């Protein structure tokens, strides 16, 4: 499978904000990941009232899902970040969590969506993703 991250020079530098504008790939299995929140394995909220801590936990959960599916962070082709009562102050801690999550991998496209609420009152953020991994059939 080949993939190409798309960050046109004619657009603003999205990489500084932790996302790419687009990613194109061929011949792959698509993995649609459910939105991940700040729950630990026992359904305890990690980082109550701390958007950065919640983002890190949601991304750690996403990493576990990807690994179980046979994918890695480099296989992400799209993420969506839902933020309760979003305000610009959240950009720094969420961006820092995303930078830590991606490390040296070029980030996938990401859309931030401000929402009124999520499934549980203590959730401040939910991150869903789509990944593509090479087809095992070789097609």
């Amino acid at each position: 499978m080949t993939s190409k991250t798309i960050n046109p020079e004619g657009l603003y530098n999205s990489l500084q904000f932790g996302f790419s504008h687009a990613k194109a790939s061929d011949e792959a299995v698509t993995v649609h990941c459910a939105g991940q929140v700040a729950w630990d394995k026992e359904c305890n909220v990690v980082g109550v009232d701390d958007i950065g801590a919640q983002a890190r936990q949601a991304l750690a959960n996403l990493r576990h899902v990807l690994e179980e599916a046979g994918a890695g962070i480099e296989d992400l082709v799209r993420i969506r970040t839902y933020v309760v009562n979003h305000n610009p102050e959240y950009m720094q801690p969420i961006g820092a969590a995303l930078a830590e999550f991606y490390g040296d991998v070029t980030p996938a496209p990401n859309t931030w969506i401000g929402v009124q609420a999520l499934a549980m009152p203590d959730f401040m953020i939910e991150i869903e993703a789509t990944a593509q991994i090479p087809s095992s059939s070789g097609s």
Side-chain angles (χ1 to χ4, degrees), residues 55-112:
R56 287 189 301 279
Q57 182 65 41
L59 290 165
N61 293 347
L62 176 59
R63 183 186 308 265
H64 288 300
V65 172
L66 291 170
E67 289 171 358
E68 186 68 23
I73 294 167
E74 67 281 358
D75 298 311
L76 288 170
V77 295
R78 182 84 165 120
I79 66 172
R80 288 173 189 81
T81 303
Y82 301 92
V83 181
V84 174
N85 299 322
H86 175 69
N87 71 64
E89 293 175 12
Y90 290 162
M91 292 178 74
Q92 191 285 324
I94 295 171
L98 286 164
E100 180 181 312
F101 174 72
Y102 281 111
D104 293 333
V105 174
T106 302
N110 183 5
T111 299
W112 288 33

Side-chain angles (χ1 to χ4, degrees), residues 44-62:
N44 298 308
V45 175
V46 174
V48 174
D49 296 326
D50 182 340
I51 192 77
Q54 287 204 17
R56 287 189 301 279
Q57 182 65 41
L59 290 165
N61 293 347
L62 176 59

